Amino acid sequence: MSIEVQHISKCFGAFQALHDVSLRVEEGELMALLGPSGSGKTSLLRIIAGLDSPEAHPDAKVMMNNENMIHTRAGNRKVGFVFQHYALFRHMTVFDNIAFGMRMRPKKERPSKKEMKDRVEQLLNLIQLENMGNRYPMQLSGGQRQRVALARALAIEPKVLLLDEPFGALDARVREDLRKWLRRLHKEIQITSLFVTHDQEEALELADRIVVMNEGRIEQIGTPDEVFHQPRTEFVMQFLGSVNLFHGRIERGEAVFGPWKVPGLLGKCPEGTAARLFVRPYDITVQPDQQEYEGTIAFIRRIQSAGPHVKMELEPESGERVIVEISHERHATLKPRVGEKVLVSLRNARVFTEDYTI
Ligand code: ATP
């Protein structure tokens, strides 16, 4: 089942948490709502689930399979919801927790005891907790509890799955395992899913497409590759991965940032327009200070080689400090030393002005 929202706004008193948001999740897609705390992700998810209503607007719609559900009660939307804090019933076994939604159905829709048992066992298999039906939530790890919460959401055979920071309360290692597990599970069951996260790594690794949100608005919707490599806004560029940021101006058709110049703006931006240049740390080339190389002179101020890459902090003769990432292989060839002079050049730099991006 596809999900589509159109012209959704939400106010809490005088504060507007969502500003005219529209998006579509295709059938079977796994989509991430990514943004910092307070960007409106949960508010949007709750409106889709039917737990909250949007502001009245003649064109506001919450469509599921092209049918407007905006006035349909949450219980009738066929939506499975998983929250950050497992929200399992502590006094019920894992089995009873998973069966809960089925037991709550009106009598004529309720599966028989045998059907219920089969369904719960099937779900316990799916979440790889086959022999744990008799345990209580207290007797499970955080990751296991969250898998039970997912099974409970799936037990009612929802048409869409909404997950609000499902791994938010878990430690980094468990999160990573659960991410991989959820990706595999989604491939297997292909249920249209929308999950909220503020963790860019999680979104990039898990989602088919990502919706980047900021202050109640959508900044960009795209595949992980698109939002990462072709960020449409400064916010997206900064939010996804680390960046070096330089402030500069347009001068005679070039954007000038201290020692760096980006040509190609002649006639496109008025002279003197403020501009910002962004470059990822691994998009900076460092060469020895030798005649055959080109680049801006900079001094190495710090080298940190513990980790998957070697990080260096460089100080150009004029201009702001730069963080550079090089491979360990390159580090072994270059053999950089703190205090040494090197030549630096930029690749894939992106320039943003108020109304222009290159
Ligand atoms: P987080 O990652 O911290 O959960 P979020 O992106 O999910 O953030 P929301 O929970 O949707 O953001 O909140 C968006 C804004 O709306 C926040 O500034 C929040 O304080 C405000 N807000 C949310 N719910 C309410 C409420 N019931 N009453 C008043 N303000 C609210």
Side-chain angles (χ1 to χ4, degrees), residues 43 51 54 60 102 122 127-128 134 154 161 165 197 219 223 229 231 242 262 271 284 290 311 323 353:
S43 303
L51 299 171
M102 290 187 270
Q122 195 189 357
I127 60 167
Q128 295 158 347
N134 291 328
L154 290 173
L161 193 58
E165 296 269 4
T197 181
E219 294 267 338
T223 62
H229 293 296
S242 37
V262 180
E271 190 70 8
I284 297 178
Q290 292 166 7
K311 251 190 196 174
I323 303 294
T353 65

Side-chain angles (χ1 to χ4, degrees), residues 11 218 310:
C11 295
I218 293 178
V310 178

Side-chain angles (χ1 to χ4, degrees), residues 5 27 58 62 73 109 117 192 210 216 220 260 267 280 300 336 339:
V5 298
E27 168 138 27
V62 176
R73 280 184 39 237
E109 288 174 29
K117 185 165 177 289
T192 310
I210 298 175
Q220 186 170 0
W260 287 290
R280 304 258 187 230
I300 302 177

Side-chain angles (χ1 to χ4, degrees), residues 227-247:
V227 293
F228 192 82
H229 293 296
Q230 292 140 42
R232 270 221 313 263
T233 66
E234 296 184 43
F235 176 83
V236 177
M237 180 96 206
Q238 292 194 78
F239 194 68
L240 288 166
S242 37
V243 280
N244 288 288
L245 162 63
F246 306 100
H247 295 271

Side-chain angles (χ1 to χ4, degrees), residues 169-184:
L170 305 169
D171 68 50
R173 191 58 201 269
V174 181
R175 283 176 83 114
E176 218 170 282
D177 289 347
L178 275 185
R179 261 194 329 243
K180 291 199 185 87
W181 174 80
L182 183 63
R183 183 74 241 177
R184 284 197 303 271

Side-chain angles (χ1 to χ4, degrees), residues 20-245:
D20 195 28
V21 168
S22 300
L23 66 86
R24 184 179 166 87
V25 191
E26 298 299 342
E27 168 138 27
E29 197 174 23
L30 179 55
M31 193 180 239
L33 285 178
L34 173 69
S37 184
S39 54
K41 309 177 297 290
T42 298
S43 303
L44 183 58
L45 207 69
R46 289 177 59 82
I47 288 171
I48 294 173
L51 299 171
D52 238 332
S53 315
E55 299 307 313
H57 181 291
D59 298 321
K61 287 187 178 133
V62 176
M63 317 266 283
M64 295 196 177
N65 251 4
N66 304 319
E67 188 187 335
N68 194 5
M69 297 274 193
I70 205 158
H71 301 299
T72 307
R73 280 184 39 237
N76 296 333
R77 288 194 190 188
K78 289 265 174 202
V79 162
F81 209 107
V82 180
F83 300 92
Q84 174 174 359
H85 295 285
Y86 333 108
L88 295 179
F89 302 114
R90 287 150 47 116
H91 59 286
M92 282 186 198
T93 62
V94 165
F95 185 102
D96 290 338
N97 262 286
I98 297 176
F100 181 78
M102 290 187 270
R103 290 195 176 123
M104 285 295 116
R105 285 207 180 143
K107 210 165 184 179
K108 57 181 193 312
E109 288 174 29
R110 202 177 305 158
S112 69
K113 269 200 169 145
K114 164 88 175 64
E115 283 167 335
M116 246 188 251
K117 185 165 177 289
D118 290 349
R119 177 91 184 121
V120 173
E121 273 167 9
Q122 195 189 357
L123 285 163
L124 282 169
N125 255 323
L126 192 70
I127 60 167
Q128 295 158 347
L129 294 179
E130 291 87 351
N131 302 314
M132 302 209 183
N134 291 328
R135 290 211 189 168
Y136 285 87
M138 283 279 284
Q139 298 167 312
L140 300 177
S141 72
Q144 290 170 335
R145 275 182 237 172
Q146 205 52 321
R147 270 148 54 193
V148 174
L150 197 74
R152 195 178 59 174
L154 290 173
I156 56 157
E157 298 182 315
K159 296 283 187 263
V160 304
L161 193 58
L162 304 177
L163 306 114
D164 191 356
E165 296 269 4
F167 313 137
L170 305 169
D171 68 50
R173 191 58 201 269
V174 181
R175 283 176 83 114
E176 218 170 282
D177 289 347
L178 275 185
R179 261 194 329 243
K180 291 199 185 87
W181 174 80
L182 183 63
R183 183 74 241 177
R184 284 197 303 271
L185 181 82
H186 182 261
K187 212 167 166 199
E188 202 178 317
I189 60 175
Q190 297 275 315
I191 183 170
T192 310
S193 307
L194 185 59
F195 77 97
V196 159
T197 181
H198 62 263
D199 179 341
Q200 38 129 335
E201 227 177 89
E202 191 161 288
L204 291 171
E205 194 178 318
L206 254 177
D208 296 316
R209 284 191 305 150
I210 298 175
V211 181
V212 185
M213 293 190 64
N214 179 31
E215 294 183 350
R217 292 186 171 84
I218 293 178
E219 294 267 338
Q220 186 170 0
I221 302 180
T223 62
D225 270 6
E226 282 164 355
V227 293
F228 192 82
H229 293 296
Q230 292 140 42
R232 270 221 313 263
T233 66
E234 296 184 43
F235 176 83
V236 177
M237 180 96 206
Q238 292 194 78
F239 194 68
L240 288 166
S242 37
V243 280
N244 288 288
L245 162 63

